[in-house]
């Protein structure tokens, strides 16, 4: 593929990620009200259905993502990516015009099966990038993701205030236009000689998880990372339900708050981690970050005014230094020729957390907000998240003491040395 075509293809892939995230994020502010209308009940009961809808999507995605990845190795990236976009388009249309709650489940299952756009987009970038530019190009995916999550909820809040169905229709249109553009413009990135036969044994979603057990030094930290992903669902999944229930926020306010979350979190991930981790080292950054996560969640649970949620976002998002430090620590404990296997296992852990995490958090929210609850406490799921973050910190500290390695100590020293060098 010639350089101009590579640049155009890269631009399309980044636009694909941006539009996908925007489409997902656009519907977040109005999703609770859509479920409420379909089940003709209250917000607490709607959260119970939202739990099962999350399982339907994340579960099918976990099961089918390895197969979709294998199909892209066999038939090329382009057809798989286009099918994924059309699958999302169909899902949003199901949600926009669903006459019953059952149709929402049909759409979520379809999107979960075809929803491998991020996996395929990453493979596409690997195909078209020079080895020395892959890391930088992969970083652009994170930028597109963050931008989509900032813009999406903001637009969704505005459209939802006009009509509850408009955000879903807008998301469907975005997905379809992206698929149409890709059909006419996007070239195939995987050459015929680099394709391989379909190997079903490699499409095992559990296999990558079991391989983590071979890394004794990082096994405890992998569990710690899983608990972080799991606990974070208290914010990621239930934020809209909680703020609407406790503070009576409208779609606009929910959209604005999620945009602020995206901005603050992107600032921490893109800027603060580059300063804090070299200064404090990976181990200290991990447990400090996890403590901040835990404090933030506890404060969310007891916030009495809506404006407090914005203030509490600061310590909560500062906890974001823990994730990159934890992944860096684990990476430094694994040989260079096994990094891919490690990252595959960690990706499977993240996927697994999106199956069970939202279900548990939604169920806890429903248990403490339903009309016949013996004790009303809508922030109970945040307390659970805070406890899990503390448990994650404890596991990390125990693992440090048990498996502290010279490689990590050397890496920490290099980070500190780099941090003290004068800027050019």
């Amino acid at each position: 593929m010639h350089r101009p075509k590579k640049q155009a293809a890269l631009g399309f892939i980044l636009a694909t990620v941006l539009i996908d995230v925007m489409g997902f994020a656009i519907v977040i502010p109005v999703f609770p009200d859509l479920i409420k209308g379909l089940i003709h009940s209250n917000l607490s009961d709607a959260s119970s259905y939202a739990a099962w809808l999350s399982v339907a999507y994340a579960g099918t995605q976990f099961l089918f993502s390895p197969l979709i990845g294998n199909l892209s190795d066999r038939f090329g990236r382009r057809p798989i990516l286009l099918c994924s976009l059309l699958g999302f388009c169909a899902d949003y249309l199901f949600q926009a015009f669903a006459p019953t709650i059952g149709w929402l489940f049909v759409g979520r299952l379809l999107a979960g099966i075809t929803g491998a756009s991020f996996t395929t987009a990453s493979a596409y970038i690997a195909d078209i990038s020079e080895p020395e530019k892959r890391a930088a190009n992969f970083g652009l995916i994170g930028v597109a993701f963050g931008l989509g999550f900032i813009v999406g909820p903001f637009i969704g809040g505005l459209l939802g205030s006009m009509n509850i169905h408009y955000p879903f229709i807008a998301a469907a249109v975005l997905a379809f236009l992206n698929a149409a553009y890709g059909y006419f413009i996007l070239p195939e990135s995987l050459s015929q000689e680099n394709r391989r036969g379909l190997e079903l044994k490699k499409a095992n979603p559990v296999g990558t998880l079991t391989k983590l057990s071979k890394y004794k030094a990082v096994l405890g930290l992998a569990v710690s990372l899983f608990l972080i992903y799991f606990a974070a669902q208290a914010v990621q999944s239930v934020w809209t339900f909680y703020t609407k229930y406790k503070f009576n926020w409208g779609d606009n306010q929910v959209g604005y708050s999620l945009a602020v979350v995206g901005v603050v979190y992107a600032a921490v991930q893109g800027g603060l981690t580059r300063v804090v981790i070299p200064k404090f080292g990976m181990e200290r950054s991990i447990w400090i970050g996890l403590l901040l996560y835990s404090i933030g969640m506890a404060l969310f649970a007891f916030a009495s005014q809506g404006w407090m949620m914005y203030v509490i976002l600061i310590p909560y998002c500062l906890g974001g230094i823990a994730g990159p430090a934890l992944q860096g620590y684990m990476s430094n404990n694994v040989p260079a020729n096994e990094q891919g296997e490690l990252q595959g296992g960690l990706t499977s852990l993240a996927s697994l957390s999106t199956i069970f995490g939202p279900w548990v958090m939604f169920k806890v929210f429903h248990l403490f907000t339903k009309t016949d609850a013996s004790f009303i406490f809508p922030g109970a799921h945040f307390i659970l998240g805070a406890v899990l973050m503390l448990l994650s910190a404890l596991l990390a500290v125990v693992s440090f003491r048990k498996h502290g390695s010279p490689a990590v100590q050397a890496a920490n020293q290099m980070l500190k040395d780099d941090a003290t060098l004068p800027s050019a």
Side-chain angles (χ1 to χ4, degrees):
M1 193 183 294
H2 298 297
R3 184 177 179 83
K5 289 185 177 181
K6 284 185 177 181
Q7 291 299 320
L10 178 62
F12 171 81
I13 292 299
L14 295 177
T16 296
V17 174
L18 173 63
I19 292 173
D20 273 6
V21 176
M22 281 181 60
F24 166 76
I26 276 175
V27 305
I28 292 176
V30 299
F31 200 54
D33 293 325
L34 177 69
I35 299 175
K36 276 174 56 181
L38 290 174
I39 65 174
H40 308 290
S41 189
N42 56 39
L43 197 63
S44 179
D45 291 340
S47 68
S48 184
Y49 281 91
W52 289 110
L53 285 165
S54 296
V55 171
Y57 173 72
T60 51
Q61 189 172 52
F62 176 74
L63 293 173
F64 282 88
S65 285
L67 176 61
I68 297 299
N70 272 266
L71 288 173
S72 75
D73 285 340
R74 172 65 180 87
F75 299 106
R77 318 299 186 201
R78 183 174 178 273
I80 303 303
L81 193 58
L82 296 180
C83 287
S84 176
L85 291 170
L86 291 176
F88 275 119
C89 178
D91 175 38
Y92 295 134
L93 290 176
F94 272 115
Q95 294 180 70
F97 301 108
T100 64
I101 191 70
W103 284 101
L104 287 189
F105 281 96
V106 173
R108 291 278 75 190
L109 289 170
L110 178 62
I113 293 172
T114 61
S117 56
F118 290 109
T119 302
T120 311
S122 297
Y124 194 105
I125 286 179
D127 292 339
I128 66 173
S129 301
E130 301 298 329
E132 65 274 12
K133 293 183 178 180
R134 281 178 183 165
N137 287 343
F138 282 137
L140 293 176
I141 290 183
V143 174
F145 187 95
L147 183 61
F149 204 83
I150 293 169
V151 176
F154 182 81
I155 296 175
L158 291 177
L159 293 175
S161 64
M162 303 176 194
N163 186 295
I164 193 174
H165 299 290
Y166 286 173
F168 299 98
I169 295 173
V173 170
L174 283 173
F176 179 78
L177 290 177
N178 203 15
Y181 176 75
Y183 179 80
F184 292 105
I185 302 297
L186 185 69
E188 176 56 62
S189 64
L190 188 65
S191 61
Q192 289 289 340
E193 59 268 22
N194 288 331
R195 299 186 187 187
R196 61 178 178 83
L198 184 63
E199 300 179 57
L200 293 179
K201 65 179 181 180
K202 289 188 177 181
N204 178 10
V206 182
T208 53
L209 282 174
T210 58
K211 290 180 181 178
L212 283 175
S213 61
K214 66 185 286 188
Y215 308 114
K216 303 300 182 184
V218 303
L219 187 58
L221 294 177
V223 176
S224 179
L225 189 62
F226 173 78
L227 289 176
I228 295 174
Y229 291 145
F230 194 104
Q233 294 300 324
V235 176
Q236 295 174 12
S237 296
V238 196
W239 178 273
T240 306
F241 287 83
Y242 177 75
T243 53
K244 287 193 172 192
Y245 179 92
K246 190 167 185 177
F247 307 116
N248 198 31
W249 280 3
D251 296 336
N252 277 343
Q253 184 73 312
V254 171
Y256 300 153
S257 68
L258 290 172
V260 171
V261 171
V263 171
V264 178
Y265 193 75
V268 171
Q269 293 292 305
L272 194 62
T273 55
R274 299 175 184 271
V275 177
V276 172
I277 295 177
K279 183 176 180 61
F280 294 109
M282 285 182 280
E283 291 184 14
R284 191 179 298 177
S285 296
I286 289 167
W287 64 258
I288 289 176
L290 291 174
L291 286 177
L292 287 170
Y293 266 148
S294 187
I295 292 170
M297 285 197 177
L299 292 174
F300 282 144
F302 293 103
S304 58
Q305 301 291 329
W307 62 266
M308 295 180 180
M309 300 296 284
Y310 287 93
V311 176
I312 299 168
L313 279 173
I314 297 174
Y316 174 77
C317 289
L318 286 175
I321 64 174
L326 191 55
Q327 287 182 299
Y329 190 100
M330 287 188 286
S331 180
N332 287 336
N333 273 285
V334 172
N337 61 350
E338 297 181 8
Q339 292 292 326
E341 193 171 73
L342 171 67
Q343 298 305 321
L346 297 181
T347 300
S348 294
L349 274 183
S351 299
L352 204 59
S353 72
T354 61
I355 299 174
F356 299 106
W359 187 89
V360 170
M361 297 304 175
F362 274 125
K363 285 299 182 181
V364 171
F365 176 79
H366 174 63
L367 181 65
F368 284 91
T369 56
K370 61 183 181 179
T371 53
D372 59 344
S374 57
F375 178 61
I376 299 294
F377 182 39
H381 63 289
F382 284 128
I383 297 299
L384 174 59
V387 171
L388 291 175
M389 288 294 186
L390 287 176
L391 180 58
S392 176
L394 178 62
L395 283 172
V397 171
V398 171
S399 185
F400 295 153
R401 292 180 177 177
K402 188 177 181 180
H403 298 290
S405 70
V408 172
Q409 294 171 9
N412 278 331
Q413 188 59 50
M414 289 177 63
L415 285 170
K416 292 179 181 178
D417 293 341
D418 289 344
T420 57
L421 290 175
S423 57

